[in-house]
Amino acid sequence: RGEAVALHQTFLERHPGSPARGEIRFRLADLLLVEARRDFRERMAAYVGDQAAGGTAGVPLPVLSHTSALALYRSILAEDPGFEHRDAALFNAGMILADGGDPEAERMFDRLVTDHPESPYCQEAYLKVGDMQFNAKRYPESIRLYQRAAAGVDPSLQAIALYKTGWAHYNQDRFAEAAEAFGAVLDLYGSDRRVDIQADLEGEAEAYLVHSLACAGGADAFATHFGRVGMRPYEMRILMSLGQHFRRFGQYSQAAATDHLCLGRYPKHADALLSAQRLIDTHQRATLPARASEARLGFAARFAPGSAWFEGQSSDSVRTAGAGFARTSLRTVEQEDH
């Protein structure tokens, strides 16, 4: 790469008026970016090695610098109005400035999306400026930019933009809107575009969907959210996680409401049995023994052999578990009575 850098620099010196000047300078800037990163890794490795040997006292920590590449991008933008990849030059310059915390980055990205609205770099530019607004706690502005990024074609950037939209709403206590954004992330992962997503956000999006629904009102918020967006393959998992969230923080009335909703919404699902068990456990933790006994008596017939739930199960082990739960529930209530 060092030889390639030298050749590009020699060409620029010998042919200052060449029509290929913009292209050569752009390629040289890219080479300088790569060289700067390689040089930084080498200097950092040497620094770490010296530090392990006790020899870095007073030695400054290596810093990655893209000053030379940035200067070339600036010269391209100032001197080559006909260069066909000005959008790439604007984007690369903006990224360098943004990584250095320079507010000029926002102006570079604004020029990019204004002058080159069809550029493939626009989606990431919107995302990057959205991050700058988010970090400055200007959440409404960041949301508008994240929405523009989420409308782009790259599913990885789309997932990141939706996820950060959720956080921008969450930080404003707009929990219903946050839930919608985090749910949109899960929908994207559930689509046929999943294989193209290079960001691992699914687990976090699911966790924060639960947190958002909990803050928005629990069981009622869940019913409102999925009533608006429609059925989703992950909705029962979210509902059961919501109940566990409330139990973990001792919010037993909210947990019980969530379990009741789960039993009413998915009466024949195999995990309805687990919801019933958790509801009884919730009443016990809340020191409500009468409600726990009432729940045992009510659920015993629901999961016993011959019930609609029992007949609807395809797994022998699940039916056996239901029968065992019914028998144990009746025995426990009988023992309490005697």
Side-chain angles (χ1 to χ4, degrees), residues 311-335:
E311 297 299 328
Q313 304 309 309
S314 59
S315 169
D316 290 339
S317 61
V318 173
R319 287 196 293 268
T320 299
F325 168 80
R327 187 179 302 107
T328 300
S329 295
L330 292 172
R331 182 182 296 115
T332 299
V333 173
E334 183 180 0
Q335 289 172 340

Side-chain angles (χ1 to χ4, degrees), residues 219-220 222 236 239-240 243 246-247 252-267 272 274-280 282-283 288 291-292 294-296 298-299 302:
D220 290 341
F222 175 94
M236 185 174 186
L239 185 55
M240 296 188 74
F246 286 128
R247 264 182 289 278
Y252 298 125
S253 61
Q254 289 270 44
T258 304
D259 291 326
H260 276 299
L261 177 60
C262 192
L263 287 162
R265 194 176 179 99
Y266 315 103
L274 181 57
S275 291
Q277 293 168 326
R278 287 178 176 177
L279 179 56
I280 293 169
T282 299
H283 289 323
L288 298 171
R291 288 192 180 180
E294 180 183 350
R296 285 192 177 98
F299 293 145
R302 180 171 184 163

Side-chain angles (χ1 to χ4, degrees), residues 52-66:
T56 57
V59 178
L61 187 70
V63 176
L64 176 63
S65 174
H66 291 314

Side-chain angles (χ1 to χ4, degrees), residues 10-22 25 79-80:
T10 300
F11 179 91
L12 292 172
E13 292 170 1
R14 294 182 178 179
H15 307 281
S18 171
R21 180 177 174 82
R25 285 198 288 187
E79 302 168 9
D80 294 289

Side-chain angles (χ1 to χ4, degrees), residues 29-337:
D30 284 351
L31 286 169
L32 290 172
L33 287 176
V34 175
E35 281 295 290
R37 293 177 189 131
R38 181 192 59 78
D39 179 65
F40 171 73
R41 286 195 297 268
E42 290 177 355
R43 287 187 292 117
M44 180 59 76
Y47 179 88
V48 171
D50 291 344
Q51 187 179 52
T56 57
V59 178
L61 187 70
V63 176
L64 176 63
S65 174
H66 291 314
T67 304
S68 298
L70 178 59
L72 278 171
Y73 290 132
R74 289 187 189 279
S75 66
I76 291 170
L77 295 171
E79 302 168 9
D80 294 289
F83 178 54
E84 62 178 337
H85 299 301
R86 286 176 64 84
D87 59 333
L90 285 165
F91 177 76
N92 290 347
M95 292 296 285
I96 293 171
L97 291 165
D99 290 342
D102 192 319
E104 188 187 356
E106 190 169 347
R107 294 194 292 275
M108 287 287 186
F109 290 131
D110 184 64
R111 287 175 62 187
L112 167 61
V113 300
T114 302
D115 297 343
H116 309 277
E118 302 302 319
S119 169
Y121 297 102
C122 285
Q123 185 178 10
E124 192 165 358
Y126 282 122
L127 182 60
K128 196 68 176 179
V129 181
D131 286 344
M132 296 169 71
Q133 299 295 333
F134 183 96
N135 293 335
K137 299 187 182 337
R138 294 191 286 267
Y139 299 123
E141 291 84 351
S142 73
I143 289 170
R144 285 193 289 272
L145 290 159
Y146 287 146
Q147 288 173 337
R148 296 293 297 271
V153 298
D154 186 318
S156 297
L157 297 177
Q158 196 175 2
I160 295 169
L162 290 169
Y163 177 77
K164 291 185 174 181
T165 299
W167 267 111
H169 283 302
Y170 194 93
N171 286 350
Q172 298 176 88
D173 295 339
R174 294 166 56 88
F175 301 116
E177 292 82 356
E180 187 164 344
F182 290 128
V185 176
L186 297 183
D187 292 340
L188 185 60
Y189 276 95
S191 71
D192 56 5
R193 306 186 73 194
R194 180 190 185 94
V195 295
D196 299 318
I197 301 175
Q198 302 300 314
D200 185 13
L201 296 171
E202 186 175 18
E204 291 184 38
E206 182 168 315
Y208 289 113
L209 173 55
V210 172
H211 285 297
S212 299
L213 291 173
C215 293
D220 290 341
F222 175 94
T224 300
H225 174 79
F226 284 99
R228 182 174 61 254
V229 303
M231 295 181 62
R232 293 293 191 273
Y234 53 80
E235 63 181 71
M236 185 174 186
R237 185 171 70 249
I238 295 296
L239 185 55
M240 296 188 74
S241 295
L242 185 60
Q244 289 293 76
H245 170 87
F246 286 128
R247 264 182 289 278
R248 189 178 304 116
F249 291 99
Q251 297 174 280
Y252 298 125
S253 61
Q254 289 270 44
T258 304
D259 291 326
H260 276 299
L261 177 60
C262 192
L263 287 162
R265 194 176 179 99
Y266 315 103
K268 294 185 179 180
H269 195 285
D271 283 339
L273 174 60
L274 181 57
S275 291
Q277 293 168 326
R278 287 178 176 177
L279 179 56
I280 293 169
D281 176 63
T282 299
H283 289 323
Q284 290 176 318
R285 293 190 194 189
T287 61
L288 298 171
R291 288 192 180 180
S293 295
E294 180 183 350
R296 285 192 177 98
L297 285 174
F299 293 145
R302 180 171 184 163
F303 297 101
S307 67
W309 178 89
F310 188 93
E311 297 299 328
Q313 304 309 309
S314 59
S315 169
D316 290 339
S317 61
V318 173
R319 287 196 293 268
T320 299
F325 168 80
R327 187 179 302 107
T328 300
S329 295
L330 292 172
R331 182 182 296 115
T332 299
V333 173
E334 183 180 0
Q335 289 172 340
E336 290 170 351
D337 287 344

